Amino acid sequence: MEDTILVVNCGSSSLKLALFDQNYNKIASALAERLNNTDAFARIKNVDDPVVLSANADHKQALAALVNAFRERQLMTRDPIAIGHRVVHGGETFREASPIDDATIAAIESCSSLAPLHNPVNLAGIQAMQALFPTITQVAVFDTAYHQTLPERAFRYALPDHYYRDWGVRRYGFHGTSHYYMAHEASLLLDKTPATTSIISAHLGNGCSITAIRDGLSVDTSMGLTPLEGLVMGTRSGDVDPGLFDFLAARGISAREAHRVLNNESGLLGLSGQTNDMRSLCDLADHGHEPSQLAIEVFCFRLARYIGAMTASLSRLDALVFTGGIGENSARIRRETAKHLCLLGIELDSDLNRDHGRWSDGRINAADSRYPVLVIPTNEELVIAREAARLATN
Ligand code: AMP
């Protein structure tokens, strides 16, 4: 019988569960959505029949139903050797993944004010799995941990000192698991070691962030105190003038309402007025929808500006790396971004870019580009599975 590892990723109203074998091949994955709603549902990937959930099922009930479904289908014939949890915010407490005990739970709770939509549901997932598997090692893998190597000049905001000392107002950065994986995978493709690899990693999905990685360590990143800062995203604005909040307050829009709009109704959705989905946006632009074309231009220009900004943290660049749903799949976004980078000497090969580097070990740069450009599919679940197994067998 094979050893397995479970990976749990709880979002505010959804969750993902993945099952890996001892060689880190994914055996099964499952999804539950619309949790705490009357039409909550769950299913295992590539299985037609849904997993039955009661109306208003919560994270705990959905996890119990999915674990049961894995067992019934003989996907998991005995308890896993480890369970890894994605946890969004580890504050300054967690510089790496951590086995979960009472002290870990208390520390995750104490970071909840920094991620009120995420940490409480991450904890709900942890507690649900502890009830289902009381003797199995559970491990928390934090989105923020990889960025704990940022130097102070990169993580501090130019605000009154006590904002940081008293309330922890600083740049934390997110998508750390993905950026860490990019550093690791890029080093393999470049025939180097992670500790000698310096890259700029652009994670472009529904959420987007970019990180400067020097000799394997995160030294600057675009997301900040919250995942709202930085690049243009699906529904998030990224950077705006902080003066906007007072300007809007004078027009009757509270800070809370402005925050909601900046998170949920801005970014590609706000600019296009149509969609937060980059693929649909490209289709609309192709059919002459000008706001969609503008949204693409703003997205690419902001990204190119940040690529330039990230070079300030590096003394050498081994590769520019694209990942995430957009970064891996959109030749157009990579091409439009690279057009702004000619001063850096970054040139793409149009054929390799169109093929997403699939026939060239991820490389999409032209032969005369000053720097390699790579497309690398991200795999945050794999990193979490490896970390969980490593800490469980330590
Ligand atoms: P993620 O959050 O990493 O799953 O990425 C989701 C984003 O990737 C959405 O905006 C998708 O539209 C986008 N995406 C996926 N495939 C493509 C594609 N072929 N072209 C453009 N965007 C894509």
Side-chain angles (χ1 to χ4, degrees), residues 3 49 58 77 94 118 131 198 262 264 307 337 364:
D3 285 340
D49 299 337
D58 59 13
T77 46
F94 296 102
H118 293 103
S198 294
L262 263 61
N264 302 331
I307 291 169
T337 305
I364 58 167

Side-chain angles (χ1 to χ4, degrees), residues 347-368:
E347 303 277 349
L348 301 189
D349 178 294
S350 51
D351 292 336
L352 297 181
N353 186 39
R354 202 175 313 115
D355 289 338
H356 313 296
R358 279 177 197 140
W359 312 113
S360 52
D361 272 351
R363 278 177 197 262
I364 58 167
N365 55 286
D368 58 352

Side-chain angles (χ1 to χ4, degrees), residues 60-126:
K60 188 174 177 187
Q61 290 162 323
L63 280 170
L66 287 171
V67 165
N68 204 26
F70 278 179
R71 284 186 170 134
E72 275 176 2
R73 285 168 201 278
Q74 308 282 316
L75 294 165
M76 195 172 72
T77 46
R78 59 180 168 150
D79 283 358
I81 57 160
I83 301 172
H85 294 265
R86 175 186 178 215
V87 178
V88 167
H89 220 304
E92 291 186 330
T93 311
F94 296 102
R95 301 180 71 83
E96 54 185 36
S98 170
I100 297 172
D101 56 18
D102 289 348
T104 316
I105 290 185
I108 295 171
E109 259 165 12
S110 75
C111 297
S112 284
S113 62
L114 293 165
L117 298 179
H118 293 103
N119 275 27
V121 286
N122 298 154
L123 277 171
I126 289 169

Side-chain angles (χ1 to χ4, degrees), residues 101-169:
D101 56 18
D102 289 348
T104 316
I105 290 185
I108 295 171
E109 259 165 12
S110 75
C111 297
S112 284
S113 62
L114 293 165
L117 298 179
H118 293 103
N119 275 27
V121 286
N122 298 154
L123 277 171
I126 289 169
Q127 279 153 352
M129 294 306 264
Q130 283 182 324
L132 290 169
F133 299 100
T135 60
I136 305 298
T137 302
Q138 316 237 358
V139 169
V141 180
F142 300 90
D143 273 21
T144 49
Y146 183 56
H147 299 300
Q148 279 297 303
T149 49
L150 252 59
E152 194 159 4
R153 65 172 178 271
F155 76 67
R156 286 292 295 272
Y157 294 112
L159 290 169
D161 187 57
H162 79 92
Y163 281 28
Y164 170 59
R165 306 265 164 231
D166 296 343
W167 300 322
V169 176

Side-chain angles (χ1 to χ4, degrees), residues 205-206 276-279 324-326 329-330:
N206 203 27
N276 64 330
D277 185 274
M278 184 59 91
R279 207 170 353 187
I326 298 170
N329 297 303
S330 180

